Amino acid sequence: MSDAAVAPMLALVGNPNAGKTSLFNALTGARQKVANYPGVTVERKAGTLRLPDGSSADLIDLPGAYSLDPRSPDEAVTRNVLLGEQAGERLPDAIVAVVDSTNLRSQLRFVLELKALGRPLIVALNMMDLAARDGLTVDAERLEQELGVPVIPTVAVRRRGLDELNAAARKMLDIRAVAPSTSLDLPALQREARRIADAAVSGGGTAGGFTRRVDRIALHPLIGPLLLAAILFLMFQSVFAWAELPMNMIDSGIGWLQGVVAEGLPPGPIRAFLIEGLLAGVGAVVIFLPQIVILFAFILLLEQSGYMTRAAFLMDRLMASVGLSGRAFIPLLSSFACAIPGIMATRTIADPKDRLTTILIAPLMTCSARLPVYAVIIAAFIPNRSVGGFANLQGLVLFGLYAFGVIGALVAAWALRMTVTKGAHGGFLMEMPKYQLPVIRDLAIGLWQRAWAFLRRAGTIILVSTMVLWVFASYPKAPAGESQVEYSVAGRIGGALEHVFSPIGFNREISIALVPGMAAREVAVAALGTVYAIDADDEEVLETELADRLRAAWPLPTALAFLAWFVFAPQCISTFAVTRRETNGWKWPAFMFGYLFVMAYVGAGLTYWTAVWLMGG
Amino acid sequence: MYINDLTPGVRAYIDSIDASGVDERRLREHGLDQGVEVELLHRAAFGADPIAVRVGNACIAMRRAQAASVRVRLTEFADAPKEAAE
């Protein structure tokens, strides 16, 4: 046992898809601490376990792994923690191995490997409901005898077996570790695992019947890809359609707050800062929370139902044609929410060149931070009308922007694979889990963690950069008759950048907004809001929407070029930081910045010149 | 005969894994081993690559190039432990 002052620690370990995260959520509830292990971007999820004797223990959720012989950075953390070699982590006092009851013949091999470590071990026989659905009967007592460790049947998604697991955990903490034994070789472990599973499991007349029936449609050579396209289309339409009402409510709320401040404070720099800098800036970002939540809800539902791996299967051929694997689809889809979790999710790609290429193209997926930018420009310049009776023109333009990003990414991946990340292609080997109904609790916790991360960003990086920009745009004070925006510090920086950007149709205000946009993309909107609000008086700020103001200030080709720029733009700072950490140096983030800048500049330029030519002719 | 030569819906048994090193380990960690029952479930559109294979009670996606290293036979091993009836 560890010191009295320090709570004992248990670690959850298991194959991906064994229901580890569900079990972790069921055991620890919503109060989880998510952080990173020092030096790597692997997430450390910790929670508190209430033991039956009233004491508590720390529980950590280790990344899913197939063995202690790691090939990906994710699996390396799991191995290092279990051996006590992970920096910033103590050796767990006991291990809880989570296994999928429907596939014990394969999964017990990892349990045997863990047992050889000699640490106190409990097996959580999870997904017992799915085993029953498949007509399998698992004899937990027999398993316990064969394995020589406690085996607790659980159904994490229905909270079954949790008390028994807690009781077993309590007992385990009093048990001393024994010396590690030499593990058998892999084929011998496999045979032993199958022997034990066959002794404890009976039945199985309709193995995987439900999943097989669904897969006959979901993986059908023709229907499968069409279904995937339909799901993705629905996802992006919903982001726009369903978010409208909550966004209007947030918008009114911010307007109301600005009104309160305007009435409560005397005119002056503080009032101006609160209304134009703080509320306008943060409001312009927080308003997109509903869209981000909807997008992540879709991604979480696809993951939890088991469909995500089918999507990876369907996409593998297309990915292979540009030198990637279907595995890259999952990080790339996450990148639609944010490139940072997307780049972190590439840790499950074993092949280093596959992984590097996926990291480099992840920022081309349209992240949710770009939605605010698109949303404002689309609302201002694209008519809100129906096309062909089923789709909305604004929705279609948005879909087109996403499509441009994806096409750009595929072209970039192909080009990178031919040049800088040249080499043999890795394979594609992935377990496709059985379909399951998503669980509200897991969905809620997942959404909460992501929404909170976004709000924290809005509250820190975005708030600070908005404030700095407001100061830069407000001082020094312009003499009467001169434009405040052009006279200010920001105006002068923007004026210098304008030389770079004016050939592609960007004016000074845009050039100014691109600078804080580096901190976080969505800040560009806040920045435009600030830049365009400065020259107006308070009343106008309250009454005029940014979209109206942009419509008055920008010609259409500029707006389209701005959209094209944001499809490829090299941003944001956090993305480069996470790329540096994942690739161990500045070489690849610098390369990423360079190639994205060229793509964005050329893309925006072509858009601008084409639009000018079409409108002129 | 290899996994990718199977007719969908026909049950077969792994004879040997003709891979080594990391490739072999990865296949084994996903449950492939001599005597394990397999069945070809799906082939993707466009070039029938990748394929989805039932390995015991799990569904594993793999490329044809990887499947081409797994030799199978249609009759069960006499000395192998009996598979659960499915």
Side-chain angles (χ1 to χ4, degrees):
Chain A
M1 287 280 290
S2 41
D3 299 342
V6 183
M9 186 175 82
L10 292 98
L12 271 185
V13 192
N15 286 15
N17 308 322
K20 208 165 47 62
T21 300
S22 266
L23 187 62
F24 182 72
N25 287 343
L27 286 169
T28 62
R31 288 216 315 277
Q32 303 174 4
K33 271 185 266 172
V34 185
N36 280 329
Y37 285 106
V40 287
T41 46
V42 176
E43 240 174 35
R44 180 192 191 271
K45 271 198 199 162
T48 305
L49 204 58
R50 301 257 167 256
L51 298 174
D53 63 355
S55 68
S56 58
D58 293 335
L59 183 69
I60 54 168
D61 183 19
L62 291 178
Y66 280 99
S67 76
L68 291 174
D69 176 41
R71 271 169 314 274
S72 65
D74 243 5
E75 292 193 354
V77 165
T78 298
R79 174 201 173 272
N80 291 344
V81 170
L82 292 176
L83 297 183
E85 293 169 8
Q86 178 66 45
E89 190 69 274
R90 57 209 158 99
L91 182 67
D93 298 291
I95 301 170
V96 181
V98 188
V99 296
D100 169 1
S101 304
T102 68
N103 191 21
L104 288 178
R105 299 184 99 226
S106 175
Q107 301 232 327
L108 288 180
R109 195 240 334 128
F110 191 26
V111 174
L112 292 171
E113 221 181 312
L114 292 171
K115 194 187 155 197
L117 290 174
R119 311 290 307 165
L121 177 71
I122 311 168
V123 174
L125 201 52
N126 200 23
M127 301 188 171
M128 285 293 274
D129 56 333
L130 294 188
R133 188 173 84 183
D134 282 1
L136 297 167
T137 313
V138 184
D139 184 346
E141 278 175 33
R142 182 69 199 271
L143 262 186
E144 215 167 80
Q145 288 164 16
E146 294 282 353
L147 288 169
V149 299
V151 174
I152 315 293
T154 58
V155 183
V157 295
R158 306 215 196 311
R159 306 183 62 85
R160 279 191 215 139
L162 301 184
D163 292 341
E164 292 84 348
L165 195 61
N166 277 338
R170 180 68 202 84
K171 279 185 205 148
M172 271 304 117
L173 292 173
D174 294 334
I175 290 179
R176 244 168 229 291
V178 296
S181 49
T182 336
S183 189
L184 296 165
D185 70 345
L186 189 47
L189 280 174
Q190 286 183 288
R191 276 195 297 278
E192 175 67 358
R194 286 204 300 275
R195 186 190 66 74
I196 296 174
D198 289 340
V201 182
S202 57
T206 56
F210 175 74
T211 294
R212 285 187 70 152
R213 277 196 298 281
V214 177
D215 272 345
R216 237 165 258 158
I217 300 164
L219 298 182
H220 186 276
L222 185 68
I223 304 171
L226 289 176
L227 183 69
L228 175 61
I231 290 174
L232 294 179
F233 188 77
L234 174 76
M235 174 166 143
F236 293 123
Q237 280 282 327
S238 310
V239 163
F240 241 58
W242 298 349
E244 205 176 318
L245 182 70
M247 287 171 73
N248 286 340
M249 286 162 64
I250 293 174
D251 195 33
S252 318
I254 297 285
W256 177 80
L257 274 177
Q258 287 175 321
V260 169
V261 173
E263 279 182 21
L265 287 177
I270 292 179
R271 185 174 105 166
F273 168 74
L274 283 177
I275 293 176
E276 294 161 12
L278 186 79
L279 285 171
V282 173
V285 174
V286 171
I287 195 166
F288 295 99
L289 185 64
Q291 292 184 335
I292 285 158
V293 167
I294 291 171
L295 193 66
F296 268 122
F298 269 93
I299 288 176
L300 288 170
L301 285 175
L302 292 181
E303 274 182 351
Q304 290 180 9
S305 63
Y307 183 77
M308 197 64 113
T309 55
R310 270 73 182 183
F313 177 85
L314 293 168
M315 296 300 289
D316 181 62
R317 182 66 190 173
L318 178 65
M319 299 300 216
S321 68
V322 296
L324 294 174
S325 88
R327 265 198 189 278
F329 180 72
I330 300 170
L332 291 179
L333 192 63
S334 300
S335 300
F336 280 114
C338 176
I340 294 158
I343 287 170
M344 283 161 58
T346 62
R347 291 171 326 226
T348 59
I349 300 175
D351 182 78
K353 294 226 162 104
D354 268 9
R355 179 159 174 261
L356 177 59
T357 314
T358 310
I359 289 174
L360 289 174
I361 65 167
L364 287 170
M365 301 297 119
T366 298
C367 67
S368 54
R370 259 172 288 189
L371 272 177
V373 183
Y374 291 169
V376 166
I377 309 297
I378 287 176
F381 292 92
I382 308 295
N384 184 8
R385 61 182 168 86
S386 122
V387 177
F390 68 95
N392 172 292
L393 184 62
Q394 294 188 333
L396 280 180
V397 170
L398 184 71
F399 189 73
L401 291 171
Y402 277 85
F404 268 118
V406 172
I407 294 164
L410 292 177
V411 172
W414 175 80
L416 292 169
R417 274 311 227 151
M418 301 293 277
T419 53
V420 288
T421 57
K422 206 167 171 171
H425 295 182
F428 173 62
L429 192 65
M430 190 178 64
E431 185 180 347
M432 296 199 278
K434 295 181 175 60
Y435 288 108
Q436 275 194 94
L437 271 182
V439 185
I440 301 289
R441 180 184 53 245
D442 293 340
L443 183 67
I445 290 176
L447 274 183
W448 165 248
Q449 283 169 349
R450 283 158 181 83
W452 178 240
F454 173 77
L455 287 176
R456 215 171 37 205
R457 256 158 69 79
T460 52
I461 296 182
I462 298 172
L463 176 63
V464 168
S465 49
T466 309
M467 279 167 24
V468 168
L469 181 77
W470 183 83
V471 172
F472 275 17
S474 302
Y475 297 95
K477 279 286 172 214
E482 287 216 43
S483 161
Q484 174 60 41
V485 170
E486 300 206 356
Y487 195 82
S488 64
V489 176
R492 291 167 203 195
I493 295 173
L497 283 176
E498 201 187 350
H499 298 298
V500 179
F501 288 110
S502 64
I504 59 170
F506 287 7
N507 58 28
R508 182 168 302 195
E509 286 79 5
I510 298 179
S511 305
I512 295 173
L514 290 181
V515 177
M518 278 304 298
R521 292 177 218 249
E522 58 270 46
V523 175
V525 168
L528 283 173
T530 313
V531 166
Y532 279 104
I534 299 296
D535 280 339
D537 58 43
D538 286 358
E539 238 163 87
E540 223 182 322
V541 175
L542 297 174
E543 283 168 11
T544 318
E545 278 185 40
L546 179 61
D548 294 334
R549 222 174 283 183
L550 292 180
R551 193 159 38 222
W554 294 4
L556 183 62
T558 293
L560 296 177
F562 189 67
L563 285 177
W565 168 268
F566 263 86
V567 171
F568 306 112
Q571 290 174 350
C572 54
I573 284 176
S574 316
T575 303
F576 295 115
V578 80
T579 304
R580 191 198 68 80
R581 216 161 32 165
E582 291 291 314
T583 59
N584 297 317
W586 282 110
K587 179 182 163 194
W588 290 110
F591 175 81
M592 187 193 252
F593 182 91
Y595 104 86
L596 288 175
F597 187 91
V598 171
M599 267 180 100
Y601 195 88
V602 171
L606 286 177
T607 308
Y608 180 72
W609 301 319
T610 309
V612 167
W613 178 71
L614 283 176
M615 288 171 74
Chain B
M1 189 182 199
Y2 297 91
I3 289 189
N4 50 330
D5 300 324
L6 286 170
T7 309
V10 173
R11 218 177 276 181
Y13 302 88
I14 296 176
D15 205 354
S16 61
I17 299 177
D18 302 346
S20 57
V22 172
D23 295 335
E24 185 197 355
R25 279 201 72 97
R26 293 197 63 201
L27 289 167
R28 289 188 174 280
E29 285 172 7
H30 283 82
L32 285 86
D33 188 20
Q34 191 185 50
V36 170
E37 188 184 294
V38 291
E39 176 188 345
L40 180 61
L41 294 176
H42 304 278
R43 298 180 203 268
F46 316 115
D49 197 12
I51 59 174
V53 182
R54 180 173 66 76
V55 178
N57 201 10
C59 180
I60 309 291
M62 62 179 85
R63 294 243 177 101
R64 276 167 66 184
Q66 291 161 300
S69 68
V70 183
R71 207 184 280 271
V72 296
R73 58 155 88 172
L74 295 174
T75 48
E76 201 169 341
F77 284 77
D79 55 340
K82 212 175 148 4
E83 304 284 318
E86 288 187 284

